[in-house]
Amino acid sequence: NILLIITICGRGVFMENIKEDRRIRRTKKLLKQALAQLMDEKDFKDITVKDITERADLNRGTFYLHYTDTYDILNKIEDEILKNIQNMIDQNIEKTNASDSVIPALKPIAEYIMENADICRCLINNKASVDFIEKFQNLIYDNCSDIIKRRHNVKDSKQNEFYLSFITLGIIGMVKKWLDTKPMVSAEEIVVFVDQIMTYSSAALK
């Protein structure tokens, strides 16, 4: 009987933790969505914690349970998006090597960006997110470098560095244009186009 009580209590604590985790995730999602909406309306420097909590219909105490200030929530959103993109690349890189195409690695990322279009659009277009653009560029550059070396068996050279810079900035520009286009074209169309560009332009590599 004691074991049964402990088991039931344990399950109760477990279910309580699940509900709490869901509640926390929902709260953070509301705060992030509120920030994204506000960044679409005015400069980030003019956004206050009060603005965010009023838009999210939450109190300021709830905000401070998770973030220290507006810059903290912005940095955490940036880090989360970049981490998720890198994880998707890591999970699909082998498929890319096997198919000789970047589509398997890029499609989940394009779908993720499309699902989070509002916040991604704000991060790319907002002046306060300069660090995000730089980190995003570095992420693309480093991963493209690995993919190209595997696919084309090329060594490091100035020419290849120029090519990677061209591809990196091109992808950033395409993502920005894609997010700014309404209605957005499908993730699949964008991915196929990027794959074609990388395939055709790689002929310049030596």
Side-chain angles (χ1 to χ4, degrees):
N1 288 338
I2 293 176
L3 180 60
L4 178 60
I5 292 171
I6 292 173
T7 302
I8 292 173
C9 289
R11 287 178 181 172
V13 171
F14 177 69
M15 292 302 295
E16 200 171 301
N17 287 338
I18 290 177
K19 289 179 181 178
E20 182 180 2
D21 289 343
R22 286 176 180 170
R23 192 157 51 242
I24 291 173
R25 286 198 298 269
R26 181 178 177 278
T27 298
K28 288 184 175 181
K29 183 177 181 180
L30 288 172
L31 291 169
K32 292 171 185 175
Q33 288 175 338
L35 177 61
Q37 292 171 7
L38 289 164
M39 287 175 68
D40 201 35
E41 298 169 10
K42 56 183 177 179
D43 289 342
F44 176 78
K45 63 180 177 60
D46 297 325
I47 298 173
T48 65
V49 171
K50 183 180 178 182
D51 291 334
I52 297 172
T53 53
E54 286 184 349
R55 182 65 62 93
D57 196 21
L58 296 168
N59 60 61
R60 293 176 67 181
T62 300
F63 178 94
Y64 288 117
L65 284 174
H66 308 292
Y67 309 105
T68 57
D69 54 28
T70 55
Y71 285 92
D72 186 41
I73 185 174
L74 179 64
N75 290 334
K76 282 186 167 63
I77 290 172
E78 293 175 354
D79 290 344
E80 179 184 336
I81 288 177
L82 293 171
K83 181 180 178 182
N84 288 340
I85 290 175
Q86 185 60 61
N87 286 340
M88 282 183 270
I89 292 174
D90 293 340
Q91 291 168 9
N92 294 283
I93 193 69
E94 294 303 322
K95 296 177 185 176
T96 296
N97 294 335
S99 67
D100 196 32
S101 166
V102 296
I103 291 178
L106 291 185
K107 190 175 180 185
I109 296 170
E111 291 171 347
Y112 173 76
I113 290 174
M114 197 163 191
E115 288 169 8
N116 298 275
D118 289 343
I119 191 63
C120 288
R121 184 183 301 110
C122 291
L123 292 177
I124 287 179
N125 291 334
N126 199 282
K127 295 176 182 177
S129 303
V130 175
D131 287 346
F132 174 77
I133 297 295
E134 186 175 344
K135 290 175 183 176
F136 192 23
Q137 287 177 352
N138 290 337
L139 184 150
I140 295 172
Y141 187 98
D142 292 341
N143 286 284
C144 280
S145 178
D146 291 339
I147 291 172
I148 289 166
K149 285 176 182 176
R150 289 193 187 99
R151 289 176 64 180
H152 303 286
N153 194 28
V154 296
K155 298 179 180 179
D156 292 329
S157 70
K158 288 296 180 185
Q159 184 183 33
N160 294 333
E161 288 178 15
F162 290 142
Y163 172 76
L164 286 167
S165 295
F166 168 77
I167 290 296
T168 299
L169 294 174
I171 290 175
I172 293 287
M174 284 181 61
V175 170
K176 185 180 185 304
K177 181 65 178 178
W178 180 38
L179 289 167
D180 288 339
T181 302
K182 294 182 181 181
M184 292 175 66
V185 301
S186 70
E188 187 173 357
E189 285 183 74
I190 288 294
V191 168
V192 169
F193 189 44
V194 171
D195 185 59
Q196 291 173 342
I197 290 174
M198 291 186 69
T199 299
Y200 296 146
S201 62
S202 63
L205 292 173
K206 295 180 181 179

